[in-house]
Every structure is written in structure tokens, then in C-alpha cells.
Amino acid sequence: QLVESGGGLVESGGSLRLSCTVSGVTVDRYAMGWFRQAPGKERERVSCISSSGDGKVYYEDSVRGRFTVSRDKAENTMYLLMNSVKAEDPGDYFCATYPSYYCDGKPDYWGQGTQVTVSS
């Protein structure tokens, strides 16, 4: 089970940290990703972190350098730190697990999402 939290209203240029609490599996066993869906747009992946054995991190071009994905094994939680938030960042943010150690293919489990709104 995946449960996102941390969404809310953030000023443009501000920061927000999203959390994805994982149960039923250790947070670093498989690849996990953060996705977002803006109104009227398709869901897109913004970041992915592979299993601890692979140790790779991926970012979508528009967030690279601003967003940071991380994991805390003690909390069994994945985070997305969003810095320098821009007007194009709002949407529903979802975390998901992949049926693989790598950020390939399609995720198989999804959280319910948390909404991010940006004020200018």
C-alpha cells in the first residue's frame, strides 16, 4: 500500500516535500516513481529511483535540478523535495512502485495521490 501526503498550496519559488509511505514491502526493494497529472493533461513521470542494488535516479527535464527524490528505510518512505516551484508544477502527484528493480515499464501499484497547488 502506498499513501502520499504533503501536498498543498505553495508559493511560486517556494518549496514543498511530498511523502509516500510504503507498507507491505521495503521502500528500496523495487524501483519507485513520482508522477504528476495536471488538469487536462496525461499523467507523466517526474522522477524515479531504482532499487537500492542499482542506485540510479531519474528526473524529467522540467524538474531536474529543482526536485530531489530520496528514500528513508527507517520510515519506509519515499520523498520528493520540490524546490523553486514553478507555475507549471501544480497537479495531482502520485507515487508508484514498479514490478522491477529498474525504472522500466509500467508501475504496478499506485497511491491515491496528493494535490499540489502553486500560487503566483
Side-chain angles (χ1 to χ4, degrees):
Q1 182 181 10
L2 308 175
V3 179
E4 300 95 336
S5 61
L9 177 65
V10 58
E11 289 187 359
S12 180
S15 297
L16 199 65
R17 190 180 75 162
L18 307 183
S19 301
C20 174
T21 302
V22 180
S23 59
V25 67
T26 56
V27 69
D28 63 345
R29 177 161 175 80
Y30 298 105
M32 293 189 65
W34 281 101
F35 294 74
R36 71 182 174 195
Q37 186 166 20
K41 295 187 177 181
E42 293 186 356
R43 189 175 299 185
E44 63 173 349
R45 189 176 76 181
V46 296
S47 182
C48 185
I49 184 167
S50 62
S51 68
S52 57
D54 185 59
K56 290 185 172 60
V57 179
Y58 302 91
Y59 296 99
E60 194 265 334
D61 288 346
S62 69
V63 308
R64 188 175 295 115
R66 301 188 296 118
F67 291 9
T68 304
V69 63
S70 62
R71 286 183 296 228
D72 185 327
K73 288 186 65 176
E75 298 293 329
N76 216 39
T77 298
M78 178 177 67
Y79 299 99
L80 183 69
L81 177 61
M82 306 168 60
N83 288 327
S84 302
V85 170
K86 297 182 178 180
E88 59 262 35
D89 291 329
D92 293 321
Y93 282 71
F94 302 86
C95 63
T97 60
Y98 286 79
S100 167
Y101 299 141
Y102 310 105
C103 294
D104 297 329
K106 295 182 179 180
D108 55 354
Y109 289 100
W110 294 85
Q112 83 290 349
T114 187
Q115 189 175 56
V116 173
T117 305
V118 179
S119 65
S120 58

